[in-house]
Amino acid sequence: MQRRLLWILLFGLLLAFAFFVLREGGGTVGDLTRQEFMPLAVKIAIAVFGGALVLALFRERISKAILAALLWTAIALGLLVGYAYRHEVRDVGDRVLAELMPGRAATSGRTVNIARSRGGEFAVNAQINGAFVSMVLDSGASAVVLTHDAAKAAGLPLAFLDYSVSVDTANGRARAAPVTLDRLSVGGIVERSVPALIAQPGQLKTSLLGMSFLNRLERWEVRGDRLMMRGYP
């Protein structure tokens, strides 16, 4: 009889939780639909019942088994909620990492935020054709400008470059070769066919995120120590 009551208690807890969340969420849990949520809840319920049954069979005192079963139920429901709201948890984690690691982009929807580095500039961790490239925001640069090493990492055809464009750098005037980047992404913002320049070897220390990328955004601005960029839908 006691074991039967334990099963009824656990099953009632899970049903109450599922009913409450579905009612409050308008038929959804996080980004899960009702049809997606229920099979997941059933699987978790089976796991909880299995653990409770083992505890009830091998523990002499049923009260300890009930307490342990309730603990397993709480853990299972916590895992379920964490899975349902995993995207929100990921966004919070991105924001924390962006504060601790300047240059790392925190993405929320179509908006990307980057914290100012200790040197005062905005370092940007970008991807060019799938390769990770460290860049610095430079609104004074008319185009994205890559160092020779960054261009090599991105797999650009260095053997066929024509250094026909004159550019101003921190080291003075230099020559650069025009190219088109297949894909340039910063956080969740992705732009394709982006005009860029490749500086001659040794002429540029850091790649520059210039206006040929920034002009493609819906908007971008600097708010205190944060760079905010918003891409088009």
Side-chain angles (χ1 to χ4, degrees), residues 2-3 6 51-70:
Q2 288 176 324
R3 291 179 182 175
L6 175 62
L53 179 60
V54 171
L55 291 170
L57 290 175
F58 291 97
R59 287 182 178 270
E60 295 179 0
R61 298 180 61 183
I62 192 65
S63 59
K64 291 183 179 180
I66 292 176
L67 290 176
L70 291 177

Side-chain angles (χ1 to χ4, degrees), residues 142-223:
S142 60
V144 171
V145 185
L146 303 180
T147 65
H148 194 268
D149 290 339
K152 182 178 180 180
L156 298 175
L158 302 182
F160 303 97
L161 297 179
D162 180 15
Y163 296 96
S164 58
V165 180
S166 181
V167 295
D168 291 322
T169 71
N171 296 327
R173 205 161 187 81
R175 307 292 293 181
V179 294
T180 299
L181 306 178
D182 293 335
R183 188 174 187 270
L184 171 57
S185 61
V186 177
I189 299 176
V190 180
E191 293 293 335
R192 299 184 182 277
S193 300
V194 179
L197 298 171
I198 300 177
Q200 287 180 318
Q203 295 297 315
L204 190 65
K205 293 182 178 180
T206 306
S207 297
L208 307 177
L209 188 66
M211 297 306 295
S212 60
F213 175 82
L214 298 175
N215 282 336
R216 293 187 171 211
L217 304 178
E218 180 178 328
R219 62 189 177 94
W220 70 275
E221 60 181 320
V222 175
R223 297 178 180 175

Side-chain angles (χ1 to χ4, degrees), residues 16-215:
F17 174 79
F19 174 79
F20 174 79
V21 175
L22 289 174
R23 181 185 179 192
E24 293 299 316
T28 62
V29 181
D31 58 342
L32 298 178
T33 65
R34 187 189 299 269
Q35 291 76 16
E36 294 171 333
F37 175 84
M38 291 311 296
L40 182 61
V42 170
K43 292 178 182 178
I44 293 179
I46 293 174
V48 171
F49 294 159
L53 179 60
V54 171
L55 291 170
L57 290 175
F58 291 97
R59 287 182 178 270
E60 295 179 0
R61 298 180 61 183
I62 192 65
S63 59
K64 291 183 179 180
I66 292 176
L67 290 176
L70 291 177
L71 177 60
W72 276 101
T73 302
I75 293 174
L77 294 181
L79 292 173
L80 179 61
V81 172
Y83 178 79
Y85 293 95
R86 61 193 183 279
H87 297 302
E88 287 80 358
V89 173
R90 184 187 63 186
D91 288 343
V92 173
D94 282 345
R95 295 190 190 101
V96 172
L97 289 175
E99 290 294 336
L100 297 176
M101 303 169 58
R104 181 185 175 91
T107 302
S108 178
R110 294 184 289 115
T111 302
V112 168
N113 287 279
I114 298 175
R116 190 188 299 272
S117 66
R118 294 180 180 178
E121 74 278 359
F122 286 101
V124 180
N125 295 333
Q127 285 192 58
I128 298 177
N129 298 346
F132 289 95
V133 174
S134 296
M135 312 186 76
V136 172
L137 177 74
D138 188 349
S139 59
S142 60
V144 171
V145 185
L146 303 180
T147 65
H148 194 268
D149 290 339
K152 182 178 180 180
L156 298 175
L158 302 182
F160 303 97
L161 297 179
D162 180 15
Y163 296 96
S164 58
V165 180
S166 181
V167 295
D168 291 322
T169 71
N171 296 327
R173 205 161 187 81
R175 307 292 293 181
V179 294
T180 299
L181 306 178
D182 293 335
R183 188 174 187 270
L184 171 57
S185 61
V186 177
I189 299 176
V190 180
E191 293 293 335
R192 299 184 182 277
S193 300
V194 179
L197 298 171
I198 300 177
Q200 287 180 318
Q203 295 297 315
L204 190 65
K205 293 182 178 180
T206 306
S207 297
L208 307 177
L209 188 66
M211 297 306 295
S212 60
F213 175 82
L214 298 175
N215 282 336

